[in-house]
Amino acid sequence: MNHLDTLESQSIYILREAFNRLDRVALLWSLGKDSNVLLWMVRKAFFGHVPFPVVHIDTGKKFREMYEFRDRYAKEWNLNLLVGDCPPVEEMDPTLPPAARSAARKTAGLKAMVARHQFSGLIAGIRRDEEGTRAKERVFSPRGEQNDWDVRDQPPEFWDQFKTDFAPGTHIRVHPLLHWTEMDVWEYVRRESIPVVDLYFAKNGKRYRSLGDQDITFPIDSTAATLDEIIEELHSTKISERSGRAMDHESEDAFERLRAAGYL
Amino acid sequence: MPITSTAPRRSSTQSPVRIVIVGHVDHGKSSLIGRLFYDTNSLPDGKFESVRRACDARGVRFEWAFLLDALMAERDQGITIDTTQMWFKTELRDYVIIDAPGHREFIKNMITGAASADAALLVVDADEGMQEQTRTHGYLLHLFGVRQIAVVVNKMDKVGFSEARFQEVAASVTSYLWSLGLDSEHVPVIPICAREGDNIASPSTSMPWYTGSTVVDALDSFPRPVGGEDLPLRLPVQDVYKFDDRRIIAGRLQSGHLRTGDTILFSPSNKQARVNSIEGWNADGPIIAARAGQSIGITLDQQIFVERGEVISHSANPPMLSKVFRGRLFWFGSEPMTVGRHYKMKINTAEHMVTVEAIERVINVADLSGSDADKVERNEIAEVVLRSRALMSLDDFSEDPRAGRFVLVDNFDTVGGGLVSTDGYADARSSVAIKSTNITRVAHRVSLEQRWVSNGHKSGIIWLTGLSGSGKSTLGFALEQFLHAKGYQVFVLDGDNVRHGLCADLGFSPEDRAENIRRVGEMAHVFANAGVLVITAFISPYRSDRRRVREIAGNLFHEIHVKADLATCEQRDPKGLYRRARQGEIENFTGVSAPYEEPLQPELLVDTTNHQPEESLQALIGYVEANFGARSLGDLLSARESLRAAS
C-alpha cells in the first residue's frame, strides 16, 4: 500500500471504532478541506452511507461560499445535518484576546449542541501538524463534563486500542486525521477528486489556506489556482498553515486556553 | 505550523519512518535530535543562528539541546509533557521523531510513542554506561515490539574518544539486548559525539578506528517495516453493517491475504463460510483481493451469526483457542495488579473479562531475574496467567506480533499492555467442534437414580491427578479391589492402558494430552451414567483439561489430588521414566520438561509423601463411602424399601 492508502485505511479503522464503540456519535463539519476529507472517508468506511449526524457549529460569520457549499453537499450526500447556533461574543470570557474571544463562541455553541443531543463522541478533523497543542492529542481524547481537556494526564494509547470506556457525563473527541499532514490532505483531495470550497484557490493573488470566521481569517499571498499548484506551493512554503487565523497568534497561550476549554 | 519546517514538504508515496529516541536522562537525547536536524538540513531557516545568538548574548555555551528546547517551546506553548512528533528528512526518506522524555514519570507517554515506532535509537552515555532507564527503555522497546534498534554511545569526547571504553560500553549494551532475545549481532552500535557532530551524518575524524555506519546511515538502512503480508490471514471483525440489502462484515486485515471465494474460519465460534464479495465504495470495478493493512468489508455466501471480536482466518492456519494464557505485561495502573482481580482485556477487536490466575514472576529489568510476588506494582513488568470464562482466539506474540498483544482496562482506564504466550497451553479447538451434523440427544428410559438404587450405591468419577510416581495407579487399583469386594460396580481407567487402545494415536504434546483427557473424560462420563463408579489414574497436568471434564460430567466429577513432591516421585521412579526424562530421552515429561498445574480446590487431597500407602487408601475409602455409599442414597434407598414392602 502506498502512503495515502495507509493513511486512509487507518482513518477508516478509527471511524469504524468510533461508530461501534460510542453510543451517540456525530461528525463535526467545519466545511473546510479536512472535514470534507473526513466526510469522504466516512462514506468509504460505511459503504456510501453517513450513519450519524453531521454537525455544523455556525458562528453566523462564515463566508458565503461556505454556506453555499454546505447546503449543496448536505443535500447531495444525503446528510443528517444539524446546525448549531453560537451565543453572542458579549457572553464570552472577557479576559481572552479579541479574536480568541470571538472563536470561543464556537466552543459555546458546540457545548450546547453536545448537551442537547447527549453526544458521547464527536469526530473532528484536526491534525497533529497543524499546531502545537494539537500535536499532543490522542486519537480518542476524553473530555470532562465541562468539555475540558486535561493535556497533562492523557490516557496511554497504543496498538490501536483506544479509550472507549469513560465515566457518564464525559465524552470522547475522535480524531481520525491526527496522523495526516496538510500535504497529505491536499494529495488525497486530488487523488479522490473531493469537492472543496472555492476560497482555497487563488484569485487576484490571494487564497485562503485555512478557513474560519470572516472577520478573523485572512488570505495569504498566492497564485495557486489549482490543486496541482496548491501542492506545488506547499513544497516550497515555510509559512504555517494557520498563519491566517488570528486567534492563534494573539498571545502565547491564547490557543492553548481555547483548546483546554473545549475548542477543537 | 507555527514553528518548524519539520512537517514533510516532500510529497511521498511512502509513509515516514517513525523513530523513537530513548535512553537514560541526560545521556544526550535532545542534543542528538538537535544535531540530527542540523546535519540533515531539516531546521527552519535562521533557527540555528537565532539560538546561537541568544546563547552568545547570555554568555552561555551553545548546546544542541537548546535548539530542541527552542523548537519545543514554540511548538508546545508551555506544555512539555508528552510525546510529540517532529519531522526530518535524509536524502533517502522522511522520518518522524516521536520524542520520548527520559524521566521515569513519563513512561505512560513514552510507550504511547514507542508502541507506534518503526525503529529506535537507544542513547547511552560513554562515560556513565548503562543506567536504570537504559535497561528499562530497552526492555520496553522489546516488550512493545520495536525490533529495529541502533545503539548510540554518546559523549565520546568525555572519554577521550577511547576505543577501549567504547568497546566496553558496546559489549554491555549488546549483551543486555541479547539477553532480551534481540538479534543483537545485527544491532549497530555507533560511537558519537552529538555536540561535535561526530558520526551523526558524516564520519568522525576523532575516531578513525571506527569504520561502521553513521547514525543517518544506520537509520537509512533500517528496512521498511513489513506489513504482515507474509503472515497467515488475520482479519478481526470490527463490526457488521446492515445499511442496505447487503450484510457487510467490516474490519482491517492485520496480516495475510484474502480473496473472494476463499473459505474462511471464524474464531472462537469455529464457524465457516465463503467470501462472496469484497465490498467497496467509489471503487473502480469489483475488488477480488485484499491484503494486510487494508480496511475492508466482505459479504458471505450464507447468513451465519458472527459479531465483533471474532477473528477471520483460513482454516489451514487458524489462531489457537484457549481460556487461559500467559501474558508478559507492563503495568501502569495506579492500583497494583493482584491475583484474583478481574480486568477487561482488549485483544484485537475482542473484549473478555479475565481473572488473574497467577502472578508467576515480576521481572527485574536490571538483571532480568524474576522474583515471586503477590502483586504487580506500577511501572513493573511481570509474567502472569490470565483466564477468561469464554474461549478466546489467541495468537502467540512470537508468531504474530500484531495479533498476539493485549491491553487491560480497569474501570475506565487502560492499566497495562502485554504480549500473549500460548506456550504449554493446549488448543481447545477440537473440543468446540461437533463435527457430525444432524445429531440430537435421545433420552434414556432408565434414570440414573434408578440405576443407583438397584446397585446400592451412587456412581461418579473419582479423578486421580498427580505427578508420575505419586501413586495414582497403585491407589486406584487397590481402591477398585476393595470396592469390588464390597459389591460396588467399579472400574479403573488407567493412563497407560487407554494409550494402548482408545488413545493409541496420541502423544504427549499439550494438544495430544488435552485430547487424551477429553476422550477419557467422555468415556468416564458414559461409565458413570451407566451406574459405574469410575476411577481414573491420569497425570492430567493441565487445569483447563480437568476443568473441561468437570464441564462434561458436572456433579459426577470428583477431583482427587494425589500429592507427592517431585523429589519423592523421582526417587520412586517406578517405571524409570524420570531418569530417562532427565537424560533428555523423553520430551514433555511432566515435572521435568512440562508443567504440572496443581488443583486449586480438589474435592480431596491425598498426601502420599508424608503418609503410608495404607493411610492414603483409607482416606480414599472414607471419601467414597461418605459420598457414594449406600447411606448417601438416603431417601432414594428408603423409597426402594418402601416399594419392596408394598410388593
Side-chain angles (χ1 to χ4, degrees), chain B residues 475 606-608 610-622:
Chain B
L475 278 173
V606 179
D607 178 352
T608 67
N610 299 308
H611 293 96
Q612 294 301 312
E614 189 54 34
E615 292 174 290
S616 301
L617 180 61
Q618 284 307 320
L620 272 174
I621 290 169

Side-chain angles (χ1 to χ4, degrees), chain B residues 505-523:
Chain B
D505 57 328
L506 301 175
F508 291 89
S509 68
E511 287 76 20
D512 279 5
R513 281 182 194 265
E515 174 59 12
N516 186 43
I517 297 306
R518 188 190 70 82
R519 289 185 199 176
V520 170
E522 290 284 359
M523 183 162 64

Side-chain angles (χ1 to χ4, degrees), chain A residues 9 160 163 165 187 235 240, chain B residues 1 9 11 252 293 344 412:
Chain A
S9 178
D160 288 342
K163 182 173 176 70
D165 302 274
E187 290 191 336
H235 280 298
S240 91
Chain B
M1 297 225 332
R9 296 289 181 226
S11 61
R252 182 172 55 181
K344 179 155 90 179
F412 306 119

Side-chain angles (χ1 to χ4, degrees), chain B residues 302-617:
Chain B
Q302 50 179 307
Q303 298 298 318
I304 57 171
F305 177 75
V306 289
E307 55 188 340
R308 180 184 166 92
E310 301 253 9
V311 177
I312 294 172
S313 68
H314 290 124
S315 47
N317 265 310
M320 173 175 151
L321 298 185
S322 174
K323 292 180 182 176
V324 60
F325 68 95
R326 186 171 288 109
R328 174 177 289 190
L329 62 81
F330 180 67
W331 188 254
F332 41 82
S334 46
E335 303 276 314
M337 167 185 261
T338 50
V339 173
R341 279 287 311 264
H342 306 287
Y343 299 99
K344 179 155 90 179
M345 180 177 82
K346 297 194 200 177
I347 181 165
N348 301 314
T349 57
E351 291 187 353
H352 299 279
M353 280 308 293
V354 294
T355 309
V356 182
E357 187 163 277
I359 295 172
E360 296 195 325
R361 57 192 203 118
V362 169
I363 296 163
N364 177 356
V365 293
D367 58 2
L368 302 183
S369 64
S371 53
D372 285 348
D374 54 5
K375 58 184 174 184
V376 185
E377 303 275 6
R378 189 184 177 91
N379 292 345
E380 282 186 335
I381 294 158
E383 285 180 5
V384 302
V385 177
L386 299 175
R387 181 180 290 279
S388 78
R389 274 203 216 135
L391 280 174
M392 300 174 281
S393 168
L394 297 173
D395 276 293
D396 196 284
F397 176 80
S398 62
E399 283 159 27
D400 189 336
R402 283 179 183 75
R405 56 198 190 185
F406 63 92
V407 304
L408 295 178
V409 177
D410 190 18
N411 283 320
F412 306 119
D413 299 319
T414 303
V415 288
L419 311 180
V420 172
S421 166
T422 57
D423 202 23
Y425 291 101
D427 192 343
R429 187 173 300 277
S430 58
S431 69
V432 294
I434 296 177
K435 288 181 181 156
S436 5
T437 49
N438 304 322
I439 50 171
T440 18
R441 288 188 188 271
V442 181
H444 287 271
R445 291 181 191 177
V446 181
S447 76
L448 184 57
E449 286 77 13
Q450 285 171 311
R451 293 178 205 275
W452 288 352
V453 167
S454 54
N455 286 344
H457 64 87
K458 283 188 181 173
S459 63
I461 304 169
I462 299 287
W463 189 276
L464 306 179
T465 170
L467 293 170
S468 178
S470 60
K472 298 178 300 298
S473 296
T474 312
L475 278 173
F477 286 116
L479 182 64
E480 180 187 38
Q481 191 178 17
F482 177 89
L483 293 175
H484 175 73
K486 290 269 186 181
Y488 275 72
Q489 301 290 325
V490 59
F491 189 78
V492 175
L493 288 172
D494 179 78
D496 283 1
N497 291 355
V498 298
R499 282 185 176 276
H500 281 98
L502 180 66
C503 303
D505 57 328
L506 301 175
F508 291 89
S509 68
E511 287 76 20
D512 279 5
R513 281 182 194 265
E515 174 59 12
N516 186 43
I517 297 306
R518 188 190 70 82
R519 289 185 199 176
V520 170
E522 290 284 359
M523 183 162 64
H525 187 219
V526 170
F527 267 96
N529 272 329
V532 177
L533 183 63
V534 189
I535 302 165
T536 67
F538 293 82
I539 298 172
S540 46
Y542 297 110
R543 281 187 199 118
S544 55
D545 294 346
R546 299 193 300 265
R547 193 174 312 215
R548 197 192 306 162
V549 181
R550 196 184 283 276
E551 279 162 16
I552 293 168
N555 291 336
L556 295 173
F557 180 81
H558 295 247
E559 186 175 27
I560 317 286
H561 185 191
V562 181
K563 184 172 181 172
D565 58 58
L566 186 62
T568 307
C569 295
E570 205 160 347
Q571 199 185 345
R572 289 176 188 157
D573 207 5
K575 302 169 201 163
L577 297 174
Y578 281 98
R579 185 177 46 77
R580 291 176 55 204
R582 290 289 179 200
Q583 288 167 355
E585 291 172 31
I586 307 175
E587 287 179 2
N588 293 322
F589 193 78
T590 302
V592 177
S593 48
Y596 179 76
E597 299 174 351
E598 291 197 345
L600 296 174
Q601 290 177 304
E603 270 76 8
L604 179 70
L605 191 148
V606 179
D607 178 352
T608 67
T609 307
N610 299 308
H611 293 96
Q612 294 301 312
E614 189 54 34
E615 292 174 290
S616 301
L617 180 61

Side-chain angles (χ1 to χ4, degrees), chain A residues 3 9-10 13 17 21 49 128-129 132 138 153 160-165 187 234-235 240 256, chain B residues 1 9 11 13 15 75 77 85 108-109 238 244 252 293 295-296 308 344 346 348 351 412:
Chain A
H3 181 49
S9 178
Q10 172 72 0
Y13 185 82
E17 282 300 278
R21 298 280 85 185
H49 301 267
R128 282 209 174 100
D129 79 320
R138 298 291 196 248
D153 185 22
D160 288 342
Q161 295 292 359
F162 306 114
K163 182 173 176 70
T164 51
D165 302 274
E187 290 191 336
L234 287 176
H235 280 298
S240 91
E256 182 192 343
Chain B
M1 297 225 332
R9 296 289 181 226
S11 61
T13 52
S15 307
R75 173 167 202 127
Q77 304 179 348
Q85 312 200 24
K108 204 168 64 169
N109 293 319
Q238 203 178 356
D244 42 43
R252 182 172 55 181
S295 285
I296 63 162
R308 180 184 166 92
K344 179 155 90 179
K346 297 194 200 177
N348 301 314
E351 291 187 353
F412 306 119

